[in-house]
Tab-separated table of all heavy atoms in Angstrom:
chain	number	residue	atom	x	y	z
X	24	ASN	N	-48.371	-36.882	-12.065
X	24	ASN	CA	-48.366	-38.052	-11.194
X	24	ASN	C	-47.097	-38.095	-10.357
X	24	ASN	O	-47.118	-38.491	-9.192
X	24	ASN	CB	-48.462	-39.338	-12.021
X	24	ASN	CG	-49.825	-39.472	-12.660
X	24	ASN	OD1	-50.693	-38.640	-12.425
X	24	ASN	ND2	-50.003	-40.500	-13.461
X	27	PHE	N	-47.573	-35.867	-7.425
X	27	PHE	CA	-48.429	-36.503	-6.425
X	27	PHE	C	-47.661	-37.562	-5.645
X	27	PHE	O	-47.764	-37.667	-4.429
X	27	PHE	CB	-49.641	-37.149	-7.102
X	27	PHE	CG	-50.796	-36.200	-7.257
X	27	PHE	CD1	-51.120	-35.683	-8.491
X	27	PHE	CD2	-51.560	-35.819	-6.165
X	27	PHE	CE1	-52.178	-34.806	-8.649
X	27	PHE	CE2	-52.625	-34.939	-6.308
X	27	PHE	CZ	-52.939	-34.426	-7.550
X	28	ASP	N	-46.891	-38.400	-6.370
X	28	ASP	CA	-46.153	-39.482	-5.707
X	28	ASP	C	-45.108	-38.927	-4.738
X	28	ASP	O	-44.923	-39.461	-3.644
X	28	ASP	CB	-45.491	-40.396	-6.744
X	28	ASP	CG	-46.504	-41.320	-7.383
X	28	ASP	OD1	-47.602	-41.454	-6.812
X	28	ASP	OD2	-46.206	-41.891	-8.447
X	31	LEU	N	-46.981	-37.544	-1.693
X	31	LEU	CA	-47.521	-38.605	-0.840
X	31	LEU	C	-46.407	-39.330	-0.082
X	31	LEU	O	-46.569	-39.676	1.082
X	31	LEU	CB	-48.330	-39.601	-1.673
X	31	LEU	CG	-49.234	-40.508	-0.834
X	31	LEU	CD1	-50.381	-39.715	-0.207
X	31	LEU	CD2	-49.806	-41.644	-1.659
X	34	THR	N	-45.421	-36.984	2.772
X	34	THR	CA	-46.394	-36.917	3.865
X	34	THR	C	-46.496	-38.269	4.576
X	34	THR	O	-46.666	-38.318	5.790
X	34	THR	CB	-47.788	-36.499	3.357
X	34	THR	OG1	-48.198	-37.413	2.349
X	34	THR	CG2	-47.786	-35.097	2.807
X	35	GLY	N	-46.390	-39.361	3.818
X	35	GLY	CA	-46.473	-40.698	4.432
X	35	GLY	C	-45.360	-40.903	5.436
X	35	GLY	O	-45.596	-41.303	6.582
X	38	THR	N	-45.723	-38.511	8.402
X	38	THR	CA	-46.707	-38.980	9.368
X	38	THR	C	-46.109	-40.063	10.272
X	38	THR	O	-46.301	-40.040	11.493
X	38	THR	CB	-47.942	-39.555	8.622
X	38	THR	OG1	-48.403	-38.585	7.703
X	38	THR	CG2	-49.056	-39.899	9.582
X	41	ALA	N	-43.640	-38.460	12.582
X	41	ALA	CA	-44.337	-37.626	13.572
X	41	ALA	C	-44.962	-38.495	14.660
X	41	ALA	O	-44.895	-38.166	15.855
X	41	ALA	CB	-45.407	-36.787	12.882
X	42	ALA	N	-45.575	-39.633	14.241
X	42	ALA	CA	-46.218	-40.525	15.224
X	42	ALA	C	-45.206	-41.005	16.263
X	42	ALA	O	-45.529	-41.124	17.452
X	42	ALA	CB	-46.859	-41.709	14.513
X	45	ILE	N	-44.020	-38.018	18.577
X	45	ILE	CA	-45.018	-37.725	19.623
X	45	ILE	C	-44.752	-38.611	20.845
X	45	ILE	O	-44.790	-38.157	21.985
X	45	ILE	CB	-46.453	-37.956	19.094
X	45	ILE	CG1	-46.811	-36.928	18.024
X	45	ILE	CG2	-47.473	-37.877	20.231
X	45	ILE	CD1	-48.068	-37.273	17.236
X	46	VAL	N	-44.466	-39.884	20.576
X	46	VAL	CA	-44.194	-40.815	21.686
X	46	VAL	C	-43.008	-40.316	22.512
X	46	VAL	O	-43.031	-40.341	23.748
X	46	VAL	CB	-43.905	-42.238	21.141
X	46	VAL	CG1	-43.451	-43.165	22.259
X	46	VAL	CG2	-45.145	-42.802	20.463
X	48	THR	N	-42.071	-37.376	23.038
X	48	THR	CA	-42.314	-36.188	23.877
X	48	THR	C	-42.799	-36.633	25.255
X	48	THR	O	-42.852	-35.848	26.191
X	48	THR	CB	-43.376	-35.250	23.253
X	48	THR	OG1	-44.620	-35.964	23.144
X	48	THR	CG2	-42.960	-34.742	21.892
X	49	ARG	N	-43.190	-37.915	25.367
X	49	ARG	CA	-43.722	-38.447	26.637
X	49	ARG	C	-42.796	-39.461	27.290
X	49	ARG	O	-43.016	-39.840	28.432
X	49	ARG	CB	-45.072	-39.131	26.377
X	49	ARG	CG	-46.133	-38.206	25.850
X	49	ARG	CD	-46.789	-37.476	26.990
X	49	ARG	NE	-47.560	-36.324	26.533
X	49	ARG	CZ	-48.228	-35.529	27.356
X	49	ARG	NH1	-48.217	-35.762	28.654
X	49	ARG	NH2	-48.892	-34.501	26.902
X	50	ALA	N	-41.832	-39.976	26.526
X	50	ALA	CA	-40.941	-41.011	27.092
X	50	ALA	C	-39.548	-40.856	26.488
X	50	ALA	O	-39.410	-40.360	25.364
X	50	ALA	CB	-41.508	-42.386	26.768
X	53	LEU	N	-38.585	-46.240	24.130
X	53	LEU	CA	-39.761	-47.076	23.902
X	53	LEU	C	-39.261	-48.492	23.645
X	53	LEU	O	-38.533	-48.721	22.686
X	53	LEU	CB	-40.565	-46.545	22.705
X	53	LEU	CG	-41.810	-47.343	22.304
X	53	LEU	CD1	-42.824	-47.415	23.439
X	53	LEU	CD2	-42.482	-46.721	21.085
X	54	ALA	N	-39.647	-49.410	24.533
X	54	ALA	CA	-39.189	-50.804	24.465
X	54	ALA	C	-37.664	-50.872	24.365
X	54	ALA	O	-37.118	-51.712	23.652
X	54	ALA	CB	-39.849	-51.515	23.287
X	85	TRP	N	-51.962	-58.566	-6.038
X	85	TRP	CA	-53.172	-59.019	-6.738
X	85	TRP	C	-52.848	-60.073	-7.794
X	85	TRP	O	-53.517	-60.166	-8.813
X	85	TRP	CB	-53.921	-57.834	-7.367
X	85	TRP	CG	-54.230	-56.781	-6.370
X	85	TRP	CD1	-53.572	-55.605	-6.185
X	85	TRP	CD2	-55.247	-56.815	-5.351
X	85	TRP	NE1	-54.107	-54.906	-5.125
X	85	TRP	CE2	-55.141	-55.621	-4.599
X	85	TRP	CE3	-56.248	-57.731	-4.990
X	85	TRP	CZ2	-55.978	-55.325	-3.523
X	85	TRP	CZ3	-57.080	-57.432	-3.927
X	85	TRP	CH2	-56.934	-56.242	-3.218
X	176	LYS	N	-59.101	-67.777	-5.692
X	176	LYS	CA	-59.866	-66.636	-5.165
X	176	LYS	C	-59.313	-66.127	-3.843
X	176	LYS	O	-59.799	-65.139	-3.296
X	176	LYS	CB	-61.341	-67.034	-5.001
X	176	LYS	CG	-62.040	-67.188	-6.333
X	176	LYS	CD	-63.528	-67.050	-6.211
X	176	LYS	CE	-64.148	-66.910	-7.592
X	176	LYS	NZ	-65.600	-66.916	-7.544
X	177	LEU	N	-58.308	-66.838	-3.325
X	177	LEU	CA	-57.735	-66.435	-2.039
X	177	LEU	C	-56.786	-65.252	-2.237
X	177	LEU	O	-55.817	-65.347	-2.981
X	177	LEU	CB	-56.958	-67.613	-1.436
X	177	LEU	CG	-56.665	-67.563	0.056
X	177	LEU	CD1	-57.949	-67.552	0.864
X	177	LEU	CD2	-55.815	-68.759	0.466
X	178	GLN	N	-57.105	-64.133	-1.596
X	178	GLN	CA	-56.302	-62.915	-1.778
X	178	GLN	C	-55.744	-62.504	-0.414
X	178	GLN	O	-56.478	-61.941	0.399
X	178	GLN	CB	-57.187	-61.814	-2.362
X	178	GLN	CG	-56.444	-60.587	-2.786
X	178	GLN	CD	-55.711	-60.769	-4.107
X	178	GLN	OE1	-56.290	-61.178	-5.092
X	178	GLN	NE2	-54.433	-60.470	-4.126
X	179	LEU	N	-54.491	-62.839	-0.171
X	179	LEU	CA	-53.929	-62.567	1.157
X	179	LEU	C	-53.037	-61.333	1.185
X	179	LEU	O	-52.461	-61.005	2.215
X	179	LEU	CB	-53.122	-63.783	1.648
X	179	LEU	CG	-53.942	-65.038	1.941
X	179	LEU	CD1	-53.031	-66.186	2.329
X	179	LEU	CD2	-54.948	-64.799	3.047
X	181	VAL	N	-53.597	-58.191	1.277
X	181	VAL	CA	-53.944	-57.139	2.232
X	181	VAL	C	-53.469	-57.513	3.634
X	181	VAL	O	-52.964	-56.672	4.376
X	181	VAL	CB	-55.470	-56.881	2.215
X	181	VAL	CG1	-55.846	-55.831	3.230
X	181	VAL	CG2	-55.896	-56.435	0.834
X	182	PHE	N	-53.606	-58.803	3.983
X	182	PHE	CA	-53.142	-59.240	5.297
X	182	PHE	C	-51.625	-59.041	5.416
X	182	PHE	O	-51.108	-58.618	6.435
X	182	PHE	CB	-53.494	-60.713	5.525
X	182	PHE	CG	-54.967	-60.950	5.617
X	182	PHE	CD1	-55.642	-61.626	4.625
X	182	PHE	CD2	-55.697	-60.471	6.697
X	182	PHE	CE1	-57.002	-61.827	4.697
X	182	PHE	CE2	-57.062	-60.673	6.782
X	182	PHE	CZ	-57.712	-61.346	5.779
X	185	SER	N	-50.859	-55.429	5.701
X	185	SER	CA	-51.227	-54.952	7.041
X	185	SER	C	-50.166	-55.379	8.050
X	185	SER	O	-49.749	-54.597	8.904
X	185	SER	CB	-52.589	-55.506	7.452
X	185	SER	OG	-53.568	-55.051	6.572
X	186	ALA	N	-49.747	-56.652	7.948
X	186	ALA	CA	-48.691	-57.147	8.857
X	186	ALA	C	-47.406	-56.348	8.653
X	186	ALA	O	-46.654	-56.100	9.598
X	186	ALA	CB	-48.438	-58.629	8.613
X	188	GLN	N	-47.013	-53.275	8.218
X	188	GLN	CA	-46.997	-52.020	8.983
X	188	GLN	C	-46.422	-52.204	10.388
X	188	GLN	O	-45.917	-51.261	10.982
X	188	GLN	CB	-48.413	-51.463	9.094
X	188	GLN	CG	-48.959	-50.970	7.768
X	188	GLN	CD	-50.290	-50.285	7.953
X	188	GLN	OE1	-50.443	-49.442	8.818
X	188	GLN	NE2	-51.259	-50.674	7.149
X	189	PHE	N	-46.525	-53.432	10.906
X	189	PHE	CA	-45.976	-53.687	12.236
X	189	PHE	C	-44.446	-53.628	12.234
X	189	PHE	O	-43.826	-53.473	13.271
X	189	PHE	CB	-46.424	-55.065	12.747
X	189	PHE	CG	-47.879	-55.108	13.144
X	189	PHE	CD1	-48.846	-55.600	12.284
X	189	PHE	CD2	-48.285	-54.653	14.387
X	189	PHE	CE1	-50.185	-55.635	12.646
X	189	PHE	CE2	-49.621	-54.683	14.757
X	189	PHE	CZ	-50.572	-55.174	13.889
X	192	TYR	N	-42.107	-50.864	13.885
X	192	TYR	CA	-41.819	-50.798	15.328
X	192	TYR	C	-41.025	-52.027	15.743
X	192	TYR	O	-41.186	-53.096	15.155
X	192	TYR	CB	-43.138	-50.736	16.116
X	192	TYR	CG	-43.886	-49.450	15.902
X	192	TYR	CD1	-44.768	-49.308	14.827
X	192	TYR	CD2	-43.689	-48.358	16.734
X	192	TYR	CE1	-45.431	-48.116	14.599
X	192	TYR	CE2	-44.351	-47.164	16.511
X	192	TYR	CZ	-45.225	-47.046	15.444
X	192	TYR	OH	-45.872	-45.868	15.223
X	196	VAL	N	-42.283	-54.125	21.318
X	196	VAL	CA	-43.426	-53.271	21.674
X	196	VAL	C	-44.705	-54.100	21.778
X	196	VAL	O	-45.583	-53.799	22.586
X	196	VAL	CB	-43.606	-52.161	20.596
X	196	VAL	CG1	-44.937	-51.444	20.746
X	196	VAL	CG2	-42.461	-51.169	20.666
X	197	PHE	N	-44.789	-55.180	21.005
X	197	PHE	CA	-46.055	-55.896	20.884
X	197	PHE	C	-46.213	-57.001	21.930
X	197	PHE	O	-45.239	-57.466	22.511
X	197	PHE	CB	-46.185	-56.486	19.470
X	197	PHE	CG	-46.047	-55.439	18.403
X	197	PHE	CD1	-44.965	-55.426	17.543
X	197	PHE	CD2	-46.996	-54.431	18.286
X	197	PHE	CE1	-44.827	-54.444	16.576
X	197	PHE	CE2	-46.873	-53.440	17.324
X	197	PHE	CZ	-45.783	-53.449	16.470
X	198	ALA	N	-47.474	-57.433	22.095
X	198	ALA	CA	-47.767	-58.528	23.024
X	198	ALA	C	-47.165	-59.828	22.489
X	198	ALA	O	-46.919	-59.952	21.284
X	198	ALA	CB	-49.275	-58.653	23.192
X	201	LEU	N	-48.421	-61.805	19.256
X	201	LEU	CA	-48.168	-61.026	18.043
X	201	LEU	C	-46.668	-61.006	17.737
X	201	LEU	O	-46.246	-61.065	16.572
X	201	LEU	CB	-48.694	-59.598	18.235
X	201	LEU	CG	-48.812	-58.738	16.990
X	201	LEU	CD1	-49.733	-59.383	15.978
X	201	LEU	CD2	-49.319	-57.355	17.341
R	27	TRP	N	-64.966	-62.197	2.197
R	27	TRP	CA	-63.502	-62.298	2.317
R	27	TRP	C	-62.860	-60.930	2.076
R	27	TRP	O	-61.961	-60.504	2.814
R	27	TRP	CB	-62.965	-63.331	1.318
R	27	TRP	CG	-61.474	-63.457	1.358
R	27	TRP	CD1	-60.576	-62.925	0.494
R	27	TRP	CD2	-60.703	-64.132	2.358
R	27	TRP	NE1	-59.302	-63.231	0.877
R	27	TRP	CE2	-59.340	-63.971	2.010
R	27	TRP	CE3	-61.024	-64.861	3.496
R	27	TRP	CZ2	-58.304	-64.510	2.778
R	27	TRP	CZ3	-59.986	-65.398	4.262
R	27	TRP	CH2	-58.660	-65.223	3.900
R	28	PHE	N	-63.356	-60.237	1.050
R	28	PHE	CA	-62.839	-58.902	0.751
R	28	PHE	C	-63.153	-57.944	1.912
R	28	PHE	O	-62.310	-57.143	2.313
R	28	PHE	CB	-63.466	-58.385	-0.555
R	28	PHE	CG	-63.021	-57.009	-0.931
R	28	PHE	CD1	-61.713	-56.763	-1.305
R	28	PHE	CD2	-63.907	-55.936	-0.884
R	28	PHE	CE1	-61.291	-55.488	-1.632
R	28	PHE	CE2	-63.504	-54.665	-1.208
R	28	PHE	CZ	-62.179	-54.437	-1.588
R	30	LEU	N	-63.442	-58.732	4.957
R	30	LEU	CA	-62.536	-59.084	6.058
R	30	LEU	C	-61.178	-58.402	5.877
R	30	LEU	O	-60.566	-57.942	6.854
R	30	LEU	CB	-62.372	-60.601	6.110
R	30	LEU	CG	-61.945	-61.195	7.447
R	30	LEU	CD1	-62.974	-60.918	8.530
R	30	LEU	CD2	-61.742	-62.705	7.316
R	31	THR	N	-60.729	-58.324	4.627
R	31	THR	CA	-59.451	-57.642	4.386
R	31	THR	C	-59.579	-56.144	4.721
R	31	THR	O	-58.648	-55.541	5.235
R	31	THR	CB	-58.977	-57.792	2.917
R	31	THR	OG1	-59.922	-57.172	2.066
R	31	THR	CG2	-58.780	-59.236	2.533
R	34	VAL	N	-59.313	-55.813	8.483
R	34	VAL	CA	-57.921	-55.915	8.940
R	34	VAL	C	-57.179	-54.612	8.675
R	34	VAL	O	-56.474	-54.085	9.545
R	34	VAL	CB	-57.203	-57.116	8.252
R	34	VAL	CG1	-55.718	-57.105	8.546
R	34	VAL	CG2	-57.822	-58.413	8.725
R	35	GLN	N	-57.373	-54.062	7.484
R	35	GLN	CA	-56.725	-52.785	7.150
R	35	GLN	C	-57.133	-51.684	8.126
R	35	GLN	O	-56.319	-50.869	8.531
R	35	GLN	CB	-57.137	-52.358	5.744
R	35	GLN	CG	-56.189	-52.830	4.673
R	35	GLN	CD	-56.633	-52.332	3.314
R	35	GLN	OE1	-57.822	-52.299	3.004
R	35	GLN	NE2	-55.686	-51.973	2.493
R	38	VAL	N	-55.545	-52.155	11.936
R	38	VAL	CA	-54.096	-52.235	12.178
R	38	VAL	C	-53.552	-50.974	12.871
R	38	VAL	O	-52.873	-51.069	13.906
R	38	VAL	CB	-53.324	-52.511	10.864
R	38	VAL	CG1	-51.848	-52.204	11.024
R	38	VAL	CG2	-53.473	-53.967	10.486
R	39	ALA	N	-53.876	-49.798	12.323
R	39	ALA	CA	-53.307	-48.557	12.880
R	39	ALA	C	-53.729	-48.341	14.351
R	39	ALA	O	-52.867	-48.082	15.203
R	39	ALA	CB	-53.694	-47.367	12.014
R	41	LEU	N	-54.584	-50.625	16.484
R	41	LEU	CA	-53.957	-51.664	17.305
R	41	LEU	C	-52.488	-51.339	17.578
R	41	LEU	O	-51.986	-51.553	18.681
R	41	LEU	CB	-54.086	-53.039	16.634
R	41	LEU	CG	-55.460	-53.709	16.735
R	41	LEU	CD1	-55.442	-55.084	16.074
R	41	LEU	CD2	-55.920	-53.845	18.179
R	42	ILE	N	-51.793	-50.805	16.549
R	42	ILE	CA	-50.402	-50.396	16.766
R	42	ILE	C	-50.355	-49.288	17.829
R	42	ILE	O	-49.528	-49.320	18.743
R	42	ILE	CB	-49.752	-49.928	15.438
R	42	ILE	CG1	-49.518	-51.129	14.521
R	42	ILE	CG2	-48.419	-49.223	15.707
R	42	ILE	CD1	-48.950	-50.789	13.151
R	45	PHE	N	-50.681	-50.808	21.260
R	45	PHE	CA	-49.461	-51.450	21.772
R	45	PHE	C	-48.401	-50.410	22.152
R	45	PHE	O	-47.752	-50.526	23.190
R	45	PHE	CB	-48.898	-52.422	20.733
R	45	PHE	CG	-49.703	-53.679	20.598
R	45	PHE	CD1	-50.307	-54.017	19.397
R	45	PHE	CD2	-49.882	-54.520	21.678
R	45	PHE	CE1	-51.065	-55.170	19.276
R	45	PHE	CE2	-50.632	-55.685	21.565
R	45	PHE	CZ	-51.232	-56.014	20.362
R	46	VAL	N	-48.235	-49.407	21.274
R	46	VAL	CA	-47.184	-48.413	21.514
R	46	VAL	C	-47.473	-47.618	22.793
R	46	VAL	O	-46.613	-47.521	23.689
R	46	VAL	CB	-47.067	-47.460	20.298
R	46	VAL	CG1	-46.189	-46.255	20.636
R	46	VAL	CG2	-46.485	-48.204	19.108
R	47	TRP	N	-48.707	-47.106	22.907
R	47	TRP	CA	-49.001	-46.265	24.077
R	47	TRP	C	-49.154	-47.086	25.353
R	47	TRP	O	-48.922	-46.566	26.451
R	47	TRP	CB	-50.227	-45.385	23.797
R	47	TRP	CG	-49.864	-44.278	22.867
R	47	TRP	CD1	-50.117	-44.206	21.541
R	47	TRP	CD2	-49.082	-43.110	23.191
R	47	TRP	NE1	-49.563	-43.065	21.007
R	47	TRP	CE2	-48.929	-42.379	21.994
R	47	TRP	CE3	-48.509	-42.614	24.352
R	47	TRP	CZ2	-48.223	-41.167	21.939
R	47	TRP	CZ3	-47.813	-41.425	24.308
R	47	TRP	CH2	-47.677	-40.717	23.114
R	49	ALA	N	-47.156	-49.495	25.934
R	49	ALA	CA	-45.749	-49.667	26.338
R	49	ALA	C	-45.250	-48.418	27.065
R	49	ALA	O	-44.418	-48.502	27.968
R	49	ALA	CB	-44.887	-49.952	25.110
R	50	VAL	N	-45.781	-47.246	26.664
R	50	VAL	CA	-45.365	-45.995	27.319
R	50	VAL	C	-46.030	-45.864	28.696
R	50	VAL	O	-45.395	-45.480	29.680
R	50	VAL	CB	-45.721	-44.774	26.430
R	50	VAL	CG1	-45.346	-43.467	27.128
R	50	VAL	CG2	-44.999	-44.861	25.089
R	51	TYR	N	-47.322	-46.193	28.749
R	51	TYR	CA	-48.078	-46.109	30.021
R	51	TYR	C	-48.637	-47.492	30.378
R	51	TYR	O	-49.851	-47.736	30.244
R	51	TYR	CB	-49.231	-45.104	29.886
R	51	TYR	CG	-48.789	-43.685	29.636
R	51	TYR	CD1	-48.999	-43.079	28.403
R	51	TYR	CD2	-48.163	-42.938	30.632
R	51	TYR	CE1	-48.593	-41.776	28.163
R	51	TYR	CE2	-47.748	-41.632	30.395
R	51	TYR	CZ	-47.969	-41.064	29.160
R	51	TYR	OH	-47.565	-39.773	28.937
R	165	THR	N	-58.317	-35.088	-11.476
R	165	THR	CA	-57.031	-35.811	-11.493
R	165	THR	C	-57.264	-37.314	-11.458
R	165	THR	O	-58.295	-37.768	-10.931
R	165	THR	CB	-56.154	-35.408	-10.284
R	165	THR	OG1	-55.044	-36.304	-10.204
R	165	THR	CG2	-56.904	-35.499	-8.972
R	166	ASP	N	-56.312	-38.088	-11.993
R	166	ASP	CA	-56.460	-39.542	-11.895
R	166	ASP	C	-55.687	-40.092	-10.696
R	166	ASP	O	-55.505	-41.287	-10.568
R	166	ASP	CB	-56.018	-40.228	-13.205
R	166	ASP	CG	-54.530	-40.115	-13.454
R	166	ASP	OD1	-53.885	-39.305	-12.773
R	166	ASP	OD2	-54.011	-40.832	-14.335
R	167	ARG	N	-55.221	-39.199	-9.816
R	167	ARG	CA	-54.482	-39.654	-8.627
R	167	ARG	C	-55.338	-39.507	-7.373
R	167	ARG	O	-54.859	-39.105	-6.317
R	167	ARG	CB	-53.192	-38.833	-8.459
R	167	ARG	CG	-52.274	-38.911	-9.634
R	167	ARG	CD	-51.866	-40.309	-9.985
R	167	ARG	NE	-50.672	-40.737	-9.283
R	167	ARG	CZ	-50.088	-41.893	-9.488
R	167	ARG	NH1	-50.601	-42.749	-10.325
R	167	ARG	NH2	-49.002	-42.216	-8.825
R	170	ALA	N	-54.054	-41.071	-4.168
R	170	ALA	CA	-53.018	-40.308	-3.464
R	170	ALA	C	-53.657	-39.185	-2.651
R	170	ALA	O	-53.274	-38.936	-1.503
R	170	ALA	CB	-52.018	-39.743	-4.464
R	171	VAL	N	-54.659	-38.532	-3.231
R	171	VAL	CA	-55.327	-37.421	-2.538
R	171	VAL	C	-56.027	-37.929	-1.277
R	171	VAL	O	-55.868	-37.372	-0.183
R	171	VAL	CB	-56.352	-36.731	-3.487
R	171	VAL	CG1	-57.133	-35.663	-2.749
R	171	VAL	CG2	-55.636	-36.116	-4.674
R	173	GLY	N	-55.429	-40.725	0.231
R	173	GLY	CA	-54.389	-41.245	1.133
R	173	GLY	C	-53.833	-40.135	2.009
R	173	GLY	O	-53.624	-40.319	3.218
R	174	PHE	N	-53.625	-38.967	1.415
R	174	PHE	CA	-53.147	-37.815	2.187
R	174	PHE	C	-54.183	-37.417	3.244
R	174	PHE	O	-53.854	-37.147	4.393
R	174	PHE	CB	-52.873	-36.636	1.234
R	174	PHE	CG	-52.516	-35.368	1.939
R	174	PHE	CD1	-51.349	-35.269	2.669
R	174	PHE	CD2	-53.360	-34.265	1.894
R	174	PHE	CE1	-51.023	-34.094	3.338
R	174	PHE	CE2	-53.044	-33.093	2.553
R	174	PHE	CZ	-51.871	-33.010	3.285
R	177	GLN	N	-54.014	-39.705	6.133
R	177	GLN	CA	-52.858	-39.442	7.005
R	177	GLN	C	-53.179	-38.319	7.997
R	177	GLN	O	-52.765	-38.373	9.160
R	177	GLN	CB	-51.644	-39.064	6.164
R	177	GLN	CG	-51.029	-40.266	5.454
R	177	GLN	CD	-50.114	-39.855	4.322
R	177	GLN	OE1	-49.829	-38.688	4.110
R	177	GLN	NE2	-49.639	-40.848	3.582
R	180	PHE	N	-55.278	-39.808	10.672
R	180	PHE	CA	-54.435	-40.629	11.545
R	180	PHE	C	-53.668	-39.764	12.550
R	180	PHE	O	-53.626	-40.067	13.739
R	180	PHE	CB	-53.459	-41.430	10.675
R	180	PHE	CG	-52.376	-42.135	11.437
R	180	PHE	CD1	-52.639	-43.292	12.148
R	180	PHE	CD2	-51.070	-41.633	11.444
R	180	PHE	CE1	-51.637	-43.945	12.864
R	180	PHE	CE2	-50.069	-42.271	12.153
R	180	PHE	CZ	-50.355	-43.434	12.861
R	181	LEU	N	-53.121	-38.655	12.051
R	181	LEU	CA	-52.245	-37.840	12.895
R	181	LEU	C	-53.023	-36.927	13.843
R	181	LEU	O	-52.717	-36.841	15.035
R	181	LEU	CB	-51.338	-37.002	11.989
R	181	LEU	CG	-50.013	-36.538	12.580
R	181	LEU	CD1	-49.203	-37.712	13.085
R	181	LEU	CD2	-49.218	-35.776	11.529
R	186	ALA	N	-52.946	-41.875	15.969
R	186	ALA	CA	-51.501	-41.932	16.244
R	186	ALA	C	-51.255	-41.781	17.743
R	186	ALA	O	-50.391	-42.451	18.315
R	186	ALA	CB	-50.774	-40.832	15.482
R	187	ALA	N	-52.031	-40.912	18.373
R	187	ALA	CA	-51.940	-40.704	19.826
R	187	ALA	C	-53.233	-40.036	20.276
R	187	ALA	O	-53.817	-39.258	19.513
R	187	ALA	CB	-50.760	-39.797	20.148
R	190	GLY	N	-54.916	-35.656	23.731
R	190	GLY	CA	-54.479	-35.098	25.015
R	190	GLY	C	-52.989	-35.312	25.255
R	190	GLY	O	-52.376	-34.637	26.088
R	191	LEU	N	-52.398	-36.268	24.539
R	191	LEU	CA	-50.968	-36.563	24.716
R	191	LEU	C	-50.093	-35.833	23.694
R	191	LEU	O	-48.866	-35.949	23.723
R	191	LEU	CB	-50.724	-38.072	24.606
R	191	LEU	CG	-51.387	-38.947	25.678
R	191	LEU	CD1	-51.125	-40.427	25.412
R	191	LEU	CD2	-50.864	-38.580	27.069
R	192	LEU	N	-50.740	-35.096	22.774
R	192	LEU	CA	-49.948	-34.344	21.786
R	192	LEU	C	-49.276	-33.147	22.456
R	192	LEU	O	-49.781	-32.633	23.465
R	192	LEU	CB	-50.858	-33.835	20.660
R	192	LEU	CG	-51.558	-34.863	19.762
R	192	LEU	CD1	-52.422	-34.160	18.723
R	192	LEU	CD2	-50.544	-35.745	19.061
R	193	PRO	N	-48.152	-32.679	21.906
R	193	PRO	CA	-47.568	-31.428	22.409
R	193	PRO	C	-48.591	-30.298	22.285
R	193	PRO	O	-49.453	-30.340	21.399
R	193	PRO	CB	-46.382	-31.192	21.468
R	193	PRO	CG	-46.066	-32.533	20.909
R	193	PRO	CD	-47.353	-33.288	20.839
R	196	TRP	N	-49.641	-28.675	18.896
R	196	TRP	CA	-50.304	-29.670	18.047
R	196	TRP	C	-51.719	-29.949	18.555
R	196	TRP	O	-52.649	-30.103	17.783
R	196	TRP	CB	-49.509	-30.988	18.053
R	196	TRP	CG	-48.266	-30.954	17.234
R	196	TRP	CD1	-47.329	-29.970	17.202
R	196	TRP	CD2	-47.824	-31.958	16.328
R	196	TRP	NE1	-46.316	-30.312	16.344
R	196	TRP	CE2	-46.594	-31.522	15.804
R	196	TRP	CE3	-48.332	-33.187	15.927
R	196	TRP	CZ2	-45.880	-32.277	14.878
R	196	TRP	CZ3	-47.622	-33.942	15.017
R	196	TRP	CH2	-46.408	-33.487	14.493
Side-chain angles (χ1 to χ4, degrees):
Chain X
N24 291 357
F27 272 107
D28 284 344
L31 196 69
T34 57
T38 307
I45 292 167
V46 173
T48 61
R49 298 277 165 180
L53 178 60
W85 305 102
K176 289 202 168 174
L177 199 62
Q178 189 77 52
L179 293 176
V181 178
F182 294 111
S185 298
Q188 291 187 48
F189 287 98
Y192 292 87
V196 168
F197 304 113
L201 194 59
Chain R
W27 178 258
F28 179 67
L30 203 62
T31 63
V34 171
Q35 268 182 321
V38 164
L41 283 182
I42 289 177
F45 287 119
V46 169
W47 286 102
V50 178
Y51 296 110
T165 169
D166 68 346
R167 302 303 271 184
V171 175
F174 174 65
Q177 285 163 6
F180 170 76
L181 204 56
L191 296 177
L192 296 179
W196 285 45

